[in-house]
Amino acid sequence: MTPRASEGAAGRKRLVDDFRAGGRPALARAISMVEGGRPGVGALLRELLLARPRACRLGVTGPPGAGKSSLIAALATLMRARGEEVAIVAVDPTSPFSGGALLGDRIRMNDLATDPGVFIRSMATRGSLGGLAATTREVIDLLDAFGFPNILVETVGVGQTELEIASTADSVAVVLVPESGDGIQAMKAGLMEIADLFVVNKSDRIGADRMVRAIRQALLLKTGHGGHDVPAHHGVDLSRVADGTGSPADTDTPAPPPQWNIPVLKTSAGRGEGIDEFLEHFRAHQHYLKASGVLEQRRQSRARRRIRDVVEGRMRRRAREFLGRHPDHSHWVAEVAAGRATAYGVAEAVIPAILRKDPESGT
Ligand SMILES: Nc1nc2c(ncn2[C@@H]2O[C@H](COP(=O)(O)OP(=O)(O)OP(=O)(O)O)[C@@H](O)[C@H]2O)c(=O)[nH]1
Ligand SMILES: [Mg+2]
């Protein structure tokens, strides 16, 4: 082993020990390593991520300015008031999460940001290779392995992002506002598919009830359920998911087969209204996930995607490095460009060499 490698191994061991001992700097460093995609991060993650997922993970998505950060801040404040620790991850935030007052005097982000029971991390997604799927997932898993019982993830819901967040969080809340327009319109971007809860925020404004009705209507069209299946207020029949607190003791009482009717909640993060209900329904959904076995299914499909992404990512990187360094690379390029060889022929020739040795596979 080269001196450098052993130094790296010693450094890694220190980092792993500090992380396991609950050191925040170690957590922050591990996250930076993941974000930076540094070599050796695979070896680090191999150790750090060997932990059974335990955290309640809530993804909060929706159009820009819907109040996602405000809601997350309000939820986090409520969780703190109940003595629970919470980690917040803001992906590609358009407005920075920390610093400044988000909602005037009601929720001061600075209070949250300086609270040792809260960990806030803003992160920017990178190119197509990393992106939300890979990096956020790892960061969330790190926060989970570190021991945060609650992880709240904010992403702006545009395009593919919403679907990807679904693979990182267990519960997904889609936040809309009264002005989000025609309910059906709002459903188009795939929001319908990923929402476990709908939240109509800024309900202090005109049109909130109409928005709630439009979403319920769209849900009815999608599920084909009659209106009686969707309770009038919050859309979930809590009696069917035990008491909704999600505590392990609940599982002692035999419950009927759990069902989940997507609730449509009204909140005003600005006035601090509806936040308790939001938290209650999030807990109820977590409880439902466990009781129904859906949590296990979601974890498995996450694991499946994960394996595929890590393997593909590594293969791709190896292939690029191999081609980039190969002395004949420009020759192949010229030959293929001139029509004297094909990319297929080159692939046939180089793939066996690429597969022969992957430096990262050895320990
Ligand atoms: N009237 C009203 N305004 C709100 C409410 N919640 C948030 N806002 C305001 O809406 C604006 C956007 O709130 P944010 O929480 O930053 O929204 P966001 O969805 O996180 O925004 P981006 O991260 O930029 O997409 C801020 O000026 C908030 O003060 C609410 O319930 N009612
Ligand atoms: Mg925000």
Side-chain angles (χ1 to χ4, degrees):
M1 197 182 266
T2 63
R4 196 179 218 182
S6 65
E7 206 176 79
R12 190 163 70 236
K13 182 171 181 322
R14 228 182 1 260
L15 183 57
V16 169
D17 289 345
D18 290 350
F19 182 96
R20 294 212 173 116
R24 287 292 175 88
L27 170 63
R29 233 188 106 217
I31 291 177
S32 299
M33 285 180 73
V34 168
E35 285 181 320
R38 298 211 210 123
V41 76
L44 179 72
L45 292 177
R46 268 210 297 264
E47 296 194 57
L48 292 185
L49 296 186
L50 268 185
R52 193 173 159 65
R54 298 159 61 111
C56 297
R57 303 158 173 224
L58 175 67
V60 178
T61 192
K68 301 177 293 295
S69 301
S70 307
L71 280 171
I72 284 179
L75 271 186
T77 305
L78 189 55
M79 286 170 168
R80 290 303 294 138
R82 296 181 182 183
E84 298 171 34
E85 300 204 331
V86 54
I88 298 171
V89 180
V91 182
D92 268 345
T94 43
S95 41
F97 217 105
S98 48
L102 198 64
L103 284 171
D105 284 338
R106 184 172 292 282
I107 291 155
R108 302 224 299 280
M109 276 317 287
N110 285 336
D111 289 351
L112 277 182
T114 54
D115 179 343
V118 179
F119 182 89
I120 302 178
R121 184 80 177 201
S122 294
M123 49 191 291
T125 52
R126 289 169 300 124
S128 54
L129 286 184
L132 176 82
T135 320
T136 315
R137 197 164 46 196
E138 251 106 48
V139 169
I140 292 173
D141 283 351
L142 277 174
L143 291 165
D144 195 338
F146 190 79
F148 279 102
N150 299 290
I151 302 173
L152 309 177
V153 186
E154 171 181 349
T155 65
V156 173
V158 266
Q160 191 59 19
T161 316
E162 300 118 12
L163 304 173
E164 290 186 11
I165 196 182
S167 74
T168 62
D170 298 320
S171 306
V172 177
V174 170
V175 182
L176 299 169
V177 291
E179 305 83 32
S180 290
D182 175 40
I184 308 295
Q185 198 64 26
M187 301 305 138
K188 277 190 181 156
L191 292 170
M192 202 77 185
E193 273 60 46
I194 58 149
D196 298 306
L197 306 95
F198 274 103
V199 178
V200 178
N201 188 42
K202 307 197 184 181
S203 63
D204 47 286
R205 294 191 183 163
I206 299 167
D209 289 322
R210 202 181 54 222
M211 189 63 192
V212 167
R213 277 198 302 276
I215 297 168
R216 289 218 173 106
Q217 199 60 39
L219 284 170
L220 285 180
L221 286 175
K222 181 192 157 222
T223 59
H225 276 224
H228 58 276
D229 280 344
V230 182
H233 289 291
H234 301 309
V236 63
D237 181 354
L238 291 177
S239 66
R240 296 173 95 165
V241 286
D243 72 3
T245 58
S247 65
D250 303 336
T251 52
D252 290 342
T253 36
Q259 303 218 7
W260 183 253
N261 292 321
I262 298 169
V264 186
L265 311 174
K266 269 200 304 187
T267 60
S268 169
R271 292 187 183 161
E273 288 167 7
I275 308 300
D276 294 84
E277 288 87 341
F278 186 11
L279 182 53
E280 185 189 327
H281 281 82
F282 167 42
R283 293 285 180 238
H285 187 250
Q286 291 283 310
H287 185 81
Y288 153 78
L289 287 176
K290 281 184 200 145
S292 62
V294 173
L295 183 63
E296 197 48 42
Q297 283 167 21
R298 289 190 180 186
R299 281 186 180 153
Q300 294 215 0
S301 70
R302 224 157 48 205
R304 194 170 297 118
R305 287 177 59 148
R306 185 85 177 260
I307 292 171
R308 192 195 59 201
D309 288 354
V310 172
V311 171
E312 282 181 3
R314 196 166 281 185
M315 300 287 264
R316 204 181 291 125
R317 193 171 69 228
R318 177 111 181 94
R320 287 186 182 182
E321 282 169 6
F322 182 92
L323 289 173
R325 285 196 201 128
H326 202 284
D328 292 339
H329 189 218
S330 2
H331 170 68
W332 295 331
V333 170
E335 291 290 285
V336 171
R340 286 190 295 272
T342 64
Y344 297 92
V346 174
E348 288 291 319
V350 303
I351 286 172
I354 294 172
L355 293 180
R356 215 164 288 142
K357 192 166 159 282
D358 179 353
E360 285 215 43
S361 66
T363 355

